[in-house]
Amino acid sequence: MVVSAAWKEIDKSPEQSIYLLTGTEQFLIQKTLSKIISRTPDIEQQDVMYFDLEEISVGQVIEEADTLPFFQDRKVIVAKNASFLKAKERGKEKIEHPLKQLEEWLQNPSPTATVIFTAPYEKLDSRKKITKMMTSKAIVIEANKLTGNDLTVWVQQHATTYGIGMDQKTAEYLIETAGENMMQLSKELEKMAAFLGDTDKVTKDVVDALVPRSPETEIFRLTDAYISGNRAKTLAVYHDLLRSGEEPIAMTSLIAGQVRLMLHVGTLKRKGYHQQQIASTLNVHPYRVKLVMNNRANPTEQRLLRALDRLATIDLKLKSTSGNRERVLELFFMNQQ
């Protein structure tokens, strides 16, 4: 069940026994947790019990759930990081969970507890018996990342909760500047609302004045300058990124990803796809596609493939050296081909 539909169900029936929140969008997970807690009668945030299943056995969660509450009619328990629902990673499991006990409990959960399992992972292992049983017995809520126009619409709608408004182009520009992390976007909207006061309209100038550029945005600028052969701009942006704490190996990987995006956009454009179709096919925000398509340098496919080849070489060099990686990457940018 997607979040928007799930929230309506929580409002209708606030005393469900088991929830399972999946997906990688932490903002939606936190908002859903808050909504479940706020809709549970006589429960305040401070009354909620939290367990980290990477440190504590699920058996303790079951024991707590089956213990009658003292001061309320119902208790709320949050069991975070239910990693036993995803594919097992060799050597990474700290706790042996009594999954047979959990399977039995799922058949007959406590009537006086709401237990919320969170599995903040991209994918669960649907082959596992425990995953099948959990998804059949719990209300499953998918907190997946919003992309494309869905994210733009969300930004515009979320802005209204702070008493401000913005048009589509400004919302897209905010995403391009701050990145696609919903938690960060929410913080930036709150900050702009405090700054604007009685003025309720967010403009591009307001975004420029208040919102720092995300590392992803700066990587786009760096890649664009590098591909265009603008050595001075490439080095200027590179040094800005170093000062903000970005690592050369991570930067190289992100630049390669941006070059691949340029290649994919170019290929789909030649096939006759328009901006929205390309964004949907590649599962990226339309504004990122727009920036690539509007690139005045218009790099050739051969230029992009050469860049990828050079980036693969420098990536290997960075990973195999124990010396000054910052200098290695700087020399790479200075010797553009």
Side-chain angles (χ1 to χ4, degrees):
M1 187 185 302
V2 295
V3 167
S4 55
W7 286 357
K8 293 177 183 176
E9 289 300 313
I10 293 168
D11 286 335
K12 289 179 187 175
S13 183
E15 294 188 357
Q16 295 293 332
S17 293
I18 312 168
Y19 289 93
L20 172 61
L21 311 187
T22 72
T24 57
E25 185 46 73
Q26 283 296 325
F27 177 84
L28 292 177
I29 288 178
Q30 290 302 321
K31 282 288 183 183
T32 305
L33 280 173
S34 296
K35 197 167 189 67
I36 295 170
I37 293 165
S38 67
R39 293 296 185 272
T40 305
D42 301 320
I43 289 289
E44 300 294 334
Q45 192 74 44
Q46 63 268 21
D47 299 324
V48 179
M49 287 167 283
Y50 290 87
F51 294 85
D52 186 346
L53 295 175
E54 290 183 347
E55 304 291 340
I56 294 173
S57 166
V58 73
Q60 290 181 245
V61 176
I62 295 169
E63 183 180 341
E64 182 60 51
D66 286 341
T67 303
L68 289 173
F70 288 111
F71 303 111
Q72 297 97 4
D73 293 330
R74 192 171 194 84
K75 63 172 68 173
V76 175
I77 301 168
V78 177
K80 303 188 297 180
N81 302 317
S83 58
F84 51 79
L85 297 174
K86 65 174 183 173
K88 191 172 183 179
E89 297 179 57
R90 188 173 297 175
K92 289 200 174 181
E93 295 293 334
K94 296 181 183 178
I95 302 291
E96 282 292 330
H97 294 286
L99 298 184
K100 186 68 178 176
Q101 181 186 359
L102 177 58
E103 290 168 10
E104 292 172 357
W105 181 82
L106 287 170
Q107 299 282 8
N108 187 29
S110 169
T112 58
T114 292
V115 182
I116 310 164
F117 293 91
T118 73
Y121 316 115
E122 196 168 323
K123 191 176 181 181
L124 303 184
D125 190 346
S126 58
R127 299 166 299 176
K128 287 185 172 183
K129 182 180 178 182
I130 187 59
T131 305
K132 292 176 183 177
M133 184 168 290
M134 178 73 78
T135 52
S136 68
K137 298 297 182 182
I139 292 181
V140 182
I141 302 173
E142 298 171 3
N144 295 320
K145 294 177 76 69
L146 298 182
T147 58
N149 281 337
D150 290 339
L151 184 59
T152 302
V153 171
W154 175 82
V155 166
Q156 290 179 273
Q157 291 176 343
H158 197 60
T160 63
T161 65
Y162 293 111
I164 55 176
M166 62 175 68
D167 58 29
Q168 180 181 338
K169 286 187 177 180
T170 306
E172 289 177 348
Y173 184 66
L174 173 61
I175 294 165
E176 187 259 327
T177 302
E180 299 184 3
N181 183 289
M182 294 175 72
M183 189 77 76
Q184 186 61 38
L185 286 167
S186 180
K187 290 177 182 177
E188 298 302 341
L189 289 170
E190 184 178 11
K191 180 169 63 179
M192 287 187 288
F195 172 80
L196 288 169
D198 295 335
T199 306
D200 63 353
K201 189 73 172 176
V202 178
T203 63
K204 183 176 179 293
D205 289 341
V206 173
V207 175
D208 284 336
L210 298 179
V211 180
R213 288 183 175 272
S214 69
E216 292 80 8
T217 301
E218 291 298 272
I219 287 293
F220 178 85
R221 291 179 64 226
L222 176 60
T223 307
D224 188 52
Y226 166 66
I227 293 296
S228 302
N230 189 334
R231 184 179 299 159
K233 184 177 179 182
T234 301
L235 291 172
V237 179
Y238 173 59
H239 288 140
D240 284 344
L241 283 163
L242 285 178
R243 281 191 289 271
S244 67
E246 295 301 313
E247 296 290 335
I249 292 175
M251 276 193 262
T252 304
S253 176
L254 290 169
I255 294 167
Q258 185 61 39
V259 174
R260 283 191 289 271
L261 175 64
M262 291 177 172
L263 277 167
H264 293 321
V265 170
T267 300
L268 294 174
K269 186 179 178 182
R270 287 192 295 275
K271 289 182 178 181
Y273 285 55
H274 57 68
Q275 179 183 319
Q276 190 59 49
Q277 287 176 312
I278 294 173
S280 179
T281 301
L282 300 178
N283 194 30
V284 298
H285 196 274
Y287 199 86
R288 290 184 65 194
V289 176
K290 179 181 178 182
L291 290 174
V292 172
M293 294 177 75
N294 290 348
N295 189 337
R296 293 178 181 177
N298 194 24
T300 64
E301 183 176 343
Q302 290 73 24
R303 167 74 172 132
L304 294 171
L305 288 172
R306 280 200 306 271
L308 272 183
D309 185 59
R310 293 191 71 223
L311 285 163
T313 301
I314 198 66
D315 181 64
L316 179 61
K317 188 173 182 179
L318 287 168
K319 289 176 178 175
S320 58
T321 185
S322 58
N324 188 332
R325 292 190 176 95
E326 290 81 2
R327 182 60 176 166
V328 170
L329 191 53
E330 182 176 44
L331 289 171
F332 169 77
F333 289 136
M334 290 175 69
N335 297 318
Q336 292 186 25
Q337 298 175 3

